[in-house]
Amino acid sequence: MDVQPSTRERLLDATEDLAFTQGVAATPVDEILRSAGVAPATLYAHFGNKEGLITQALERRLMRWDEAWQLAIDEASTPREKLLAVFPALTEYRRGVTAARWCAFLGVAAESPRPGPELQKALASDTQLLTSRLRELAVPVVGANHVDALVAQLVLVYTGVLGMLLRGMDAERAVELGLHIAGAAVEAAAGTRS
């Protein structure tokens, strides 16, 4: 039996398909409504407004990313592989979801100089997940004294990989280079472990 997605899910799917590839500002609500096959009142009943829709689409995307990343961590064998699993997870994740031009969170943040509180919270959740999980995974590899500097480096490399996607680099090549650079940063930090 073919189960149709709910109206809410169709709106979220249309938002990912359109707003996260074309840009939030460049995607009118009417286009999202047309793609989802729903009336304006439905959007407002479920999400309040366009920003509410974008916020919940980001929240759903973060939940999916969290699951994909955790799966990559669970499949990794060593603490070092678990720490660097964010890079292969990115490749797998991009195969399974609607691909954004680069990172939906960075794209929305760039287009939202004054986000409302809920959107701001959703954007911060992505950064929080990234930094807290990397910090947790880094301690067994480099020790507590070197974690903050290494996490900052890894976040920078990860963000650079996402930026290279926007510049048109092949995703697998960008991830491969990011993984190489991140691995060198981990080795350097592990070498200074006291």
Side-chain angles (χ1 to χ4, degrees), residues 170-193:
D170 174 73
E172 289 191 25
R173 178 72 177 135
V175 169
E176 179 185 317
L177 286 171
L179 184 58
H180 177 74
I181 295 165
V186 169
E187 293 309 312
T192 61
R193 185 176 183 169

Side-chain angles (χ1 to χ4, degrees), residues 58-79:
L58 286 172
E59 289 170 352
R60 183 178 76 163
R61 197 168 180 94
L62 183 62
M63 181 188 71
R64 290 174 174 173
W65 163 240
D66 183 18
E67 290 170 358
W69 187 8
Q70 188 60 56
L71 180 63
I73 292 167
D74 293 344
E75 291 174 352
S77 310
T78 67

Side-chain angles (χ1 to χ4, degrees), residues 38-170:
V38 301
T42 306
L43 179 142
Y44 299 112
H46 283 280
F47 303 103
N49 57 27
K50 183 180 181 182
E51 186 170 293
L53 175 61
I54 298 297
T55 298
Q56 289 194 32
L58 286 172
E59 289 170 352
R60 183 178 76 163
R61 197 168 180 94
L62 183 62
M63 181 188 71
R64 290 174 174 173
W65 163 240
D66 183 18
E67 290 170 358
W69 187 8
Q70 188 60 56
L71 180 63
I73 292 167
D74 293 344
E75 291 174 352
S77 310
T78 67
R80 182 183 185 279
E81 288 174 359
K82 289 179 184 301
L83 175 58
L84 295 173
V86 66
F87 294 99
L90 182 59
T91 300
E92 287 304 312
Y93 175 75
R94 289 183 59 80
R95 287 185 185 133
V97 300
T98 301
R101 288 177 58 221
W102 59 320
C103 171
F105 289 87
L106 293 174
V108 171
E111 290 189 85
S112 307
R114 289 178 290 286
E118 292 304 312
L119 181 54
Q120 190 172 13
K121 182 179 172 186
L123 293 170
S125 293
D126 178 58
T127 302
Q128 174 62 32
L129 174 64
L130 184 62
T131 57
S132 64
R133 184 166 290 158
L134 287 173
R135 183 172 282 111
E136 174 187 319
L137 294 169
V139 170
V141 179
V142 301
N145 292 338
H146 303 287
V147 165
D148 290 338
L150 178 59
V151 167
Q153 291 171 26
L154 294 178
V155 169
L156 183 64
V157 173
Y158 176 79
T159 304
V161 167
L162 296 170
M164 291 309 292
L165 298 178
L166 184 62
R167 291 182 175 272
M169 181 179 274
D170 174 73

